[in-house]
Amino acid sequence: MKKYTLLFLLLFITWGCNDEDFLNRDPKDVLLDEQVWQDKGLVFSVLADLYDRYPDYQTIENWVEFTNFDEAFASANPDYGRHKNQNYGYGDWSYWDYGYMRELNLFIQKCEAAEKLDPADRSRFTAEAHFLRAAVYFEMAKRMGGVPLILEPLEYDFSGDPTYLQYPRAKEYEIYDFVLNELETISTQLPDDPNIKSRATKGLALAMKARAALYAASIARYGVNTPQVSLPGEEVGIPAGKAVAYYETALDAAQRLITSGKYSLYNQKPDLAENFASLFYDKENNPEVIFVEDYKLKSGHVHGWTISNQPRYQAEEQQGGRLNPSLNLVQSFEKLDNTFAPLTATDSKGFLLGANNQVAYFNNPQDLFIGRDARLWGTVILPGTQFKNKEVDIWGGYMLANGSVVTADVLGGKKKLSVQGELQQVVGFSGPIDNLEFSAQTGFYVRKYLDPAKGSGQLGTQSDVWWIRYRYAEVLLNAAEAAFALEKFDLAATYINQVRERAGFTIPLTADQITFDRIVHERKVELAFEGHQLWDMKRWRIAHLVWNGVSTDLTSNPGKATESSTRPFGLWPYKVYNPGSPTDGKWVFKKIVPGPVTNADWFRMGNYYSQINNDILNNNPKIVKNPNQN
Amino acid sequence: MKQILFYLTGIMMITTVSSCAFDNYDAPDTYLTGRIVYNGEPINVAYDNVIFELWEPGWQTKIPINVPVTQDGSYSTILFKSTYKLVFQSGQGPFRMLQNDQTGSDTLIVDLKGSQTLDIEVLPYYMIRNAQFSSTGDRKVTASCRVEKIITDILYAKDVEHVSLYVSKTQFVDQRTSMVSQEITGSAITDLNNVSLSVTVPSSAPIQNYIYARIGVKISGIEDMIFSPVQKIEL
């Protein structure tokens, strides 16, 4: 019996698979190249994946990165460490994604060879991939300096010798030149339609060109202030002589976008604060937005910015309040008469003083901020204001007649104010309470990008407010900065005043009021929480001066670009309890440093360009290290 | 059958226990200690900030061992016995490395056969001499010193950016931990041979009637500062 079984098996093995068609089966779980590259829809879905991997640093999906600097405090237990570290790691912000780069190169190669696609589609897809590749090289140059410039997919031949795949780093300006040339080339191939927001357009190519040229220009111009941040092979650092040409490129690209008239500042609501806030969440007919990462409810592609950062009181979930804008940022917003009003003068207990050097009293907590830039109200949720028509209830407690303070250590906690008195609420339901996560530990919550739609603060719904990567106001500020650097002060004033006018300023800045400090300041208040701060500070070469590792007090000169600002400060409102006195029921403010803030931010020379890690160096001995690191 | 299983289990257990000894290295036990010195005097720096690298040639991947220098200029590390190359990356420390005869560069060869003390001779830009601290009542601390320019060669010499007095609650004293400081910019110093500084120490909770202080010199274009030794001062 066994013998026959064996014989049968032998026969089966020998002839059973003789039929070749039987083995030749199309896979059911993967699409092959020749299937993909003949169908517009399939190519588009490949491209969608590439768009989805677009690099960002601080975004609305990553709220916590905003708290690494002086703009905000992280009111969440796992993130207090961001205010306790003594310096930034050399490897922070590093980005070296040649896997993504290879796929972009493959896409370009295959798309150019895809004869079966409609030529118009093919041209647009290829241009979009060129755009993404330029964007990734720009991002790498921002973070690492010059990187190997690889423009075709590399194949290993398994010969055991990979040296032909090892490319040295290009010079930093070579990367910028490549990016600028690519963007110029594709700007004619991309659709010129301002209603396309989440794919590349001509407007986007020009906006990115202006930004990239401005970055290169300012590295060339201000690099002389930090001569040690350079490498002999120019992988890091751009020669000062190139600055003017780059500024001209930046101004030209920005002006072409501006004069095209396709984009304009968002100006649709009479209340300027509300107008500025809705610029970020209004997805219908928004003329300011140029390029976004878009989200959609009930599609799986949603984000939790509103859940993480909604005011804690009456929140739709039992959480929120994580990102607390700092007093450093809040006091940077000017008065509408173009003057600065720092909130630094305090008495010995920290209470804010008024004009007459006495503690300042206010009828309502928001009165302190009246008369300031509308963008303050649109960017920050201030005490005494509302969100989704609900009080935010931010107040630190009662100040008694003798100057002592009564507060509680739970949200909305109750105590007696006098021996005979009744139990009553002595702290806001949104805090602030020191060291209590989700409470407004600086006295403020963030408003920018918060979604006012019902359910946006619920885990089951979340938010589909888009993340704006490029918008018209930034193009105007880029144009202003380039014009200023080229000593066209009138032109610079024209552009900067457009942005300021939308914020409620009625007195335009004159040409001789445009200074480097003005440019820096305008970007700080207009573009807060939009992921610009770190890169701006780096390219101006002032990061090591502003985040100098010294625990300095809050600056009384917020309009100066190089003022040290290393810790997030807070400002807590207190209600006065002093029956019979005219001050009873009024509000005072106390300047504080949140308890978890124990160390100052320190940006070292080696942080200007992120560390290239040892794995990369070991795999490719031609790569040189970035300077001032160990 | 059961007996085979019994023996098998026994053999496996013995193998498991005894094989650990084969593929385990002993922990490193050789000390390399020393100081960063100029003419035998230690160079005081900020803690955890000046770092040198030890490279052990011969391995496939190259990853350095980082050794931080402490406040008083000393360092200590435990290593395997081997030959190392000792390198300060450029921009590390308020000093320049000297040319080493053996390597013809600023790399040092450390041939570690047993625990060893190695003072690394460097050339600082400046030295702080004769630092004096005193408490003059009312929580006031005054300090004076002489700042000596060591590198005078016009090719490498650097100016003083500022001289500062730092005061800290703990023995870690530099700009990061300082409670209060006074800074005199280089251009405002008329005589480097006689620099005096003073601060008023704010009251602290819990009350502490002593502080630690030292003077630091920031050299323009050099990130790491050079300091005087830390001194405890009774208020």
Side-chain angles (χ1 to χ4, degrees), chain A residues 459-615:
Chain A
L459 285 168
T461 311
Q462 309 203 21
S463 170
D464 66 352
V465 165
W466 55 21
W467 166 243
I468 302 175
R469 291 180 178 132
Y470 283 85
R471 64 184 175 98
Y472 185 68
E474 189 222 334
V475 177
L476 285 174
L477 292 179
N478 290 347
E481 188 180 338
F484 164 75
L486 294 168
E487 301 186 351
K488 297 175 180 171
F489 302 117
D490 281 321
L491 196 59
T494 316
Y495 290 135
I496 214 170
N497 280 331
Q498 291 179 33
V499 177
R500 291 170 64 83
E501 197 184 310
R502 195 256 305 263
F505 290 94
T506 47
I507 313 164
L509 293 178
T510 59
D512 51 330
Q513 283 175 316
I514 306 291
T515 58
F516 176 70
D517 288 338
R518 268 284 166 204
I519 303 272
V520 171
H521 169 261
E522 205 58 43
R523 288 183 77 91
K524 179 178 191 171
V525 293
E526 174 74 27
L527 303 173
F529 305 119
E530 294 183 49
H532 288 275
Q533 189 191 22
L534 173 63
W535 318 120
D536 281 346
M537 300 303 257
K538 274 172 52 155
R539 69 188 174 86
W540 290 321
R541 297 289 191 263
I542 57 174
H544 70 286
L545 299 172
V546 174
W547 302 315
N548 62 359
V550 181
S551 296
T552 43
D553 202 356
L554 186 65
T555 175
S556 57
N557 193 358
K560 189 158 182 278
T562 52
E563 283 289 278
S564 168
S565 173
T566 52
R567 297 178 295 169
F569 287 81
L571 192 66
W572 289 8
Y574 287 93
K575 203 184 261 185
V576 177
Y577 180 77
N578 191 2
S581 153
T583 58
D584 185 48
K586 298 206 172 198
W587 293 86
V588 292
F589 286 89
K590 188 179 179 185
K591 191 186 89 173
I592 56 103
V593 179
V597 179
T598 54
N599 273 312
D601 292 334
W602 190 19
F603 187 101
R604 296 171 288 175
M605 287 296 175
N607 290 118
Y608 271 108
Y609 290 92
S610 299
Q611 192 166 38
I612 300 175
N613 72 37
N614 281 313
D615 287 343

Side-chain angles (χ1 to χ4, degrees), chain A residues 86 228 604-605 618 625 630, chain B residues 47 62 89 92 221 223:
Chain A
Q86 290 196 323
Q228 62 268 59
R604 296 171 288 175
M605 287 296 175
N618 278 320
K625 289 182 179 181
N630 51 64
Chain B
Y47 68 93
K62 297 168 192 142
Q89 288 290 340
Q92 281 296 316
E223 189 164 34

Side-chain angles (χ1 to χ4, degrees), chain B residues 86-104:
Chain B
L86 189 157
V87 183
F88 277 87
Q89 288 290 340
S90 66
Q92 281 296 316
F95 47 74
R96 290 176 57 79
M97 291 300 289
L98 298 169
Q99 177 97 352
N100 184 263
D101 293 337
Q102 195 183 351
T103 57

Side-chain angles (χ1 to χ4, degrees), chain A residues 148-161:
Chain A
L149 190 60
I150 294 165
L151 302 177
E152 55 190 17
L154 301 179
E155 296 290 344
Y156 180 46
D157 60 9
F158 294 96
S159 64
D161 177 23

Side-chain angles (χ1 to χ4, degrees), chain A residues 7 66 83 113 128 140 157 160 238 266 270 287 324 357 403 441 500 541 588:
Chain A
L7 198 69
F66 286 111
H83 307 292
E128 286 182 288
M140 285 210 268
D157 60 9
I238 296 178
Y266 182 91
N324 299 170
N357 263 353
Q441 290 188 58
R500 291 170 64 83
R541 297 289 191 263
V588 292

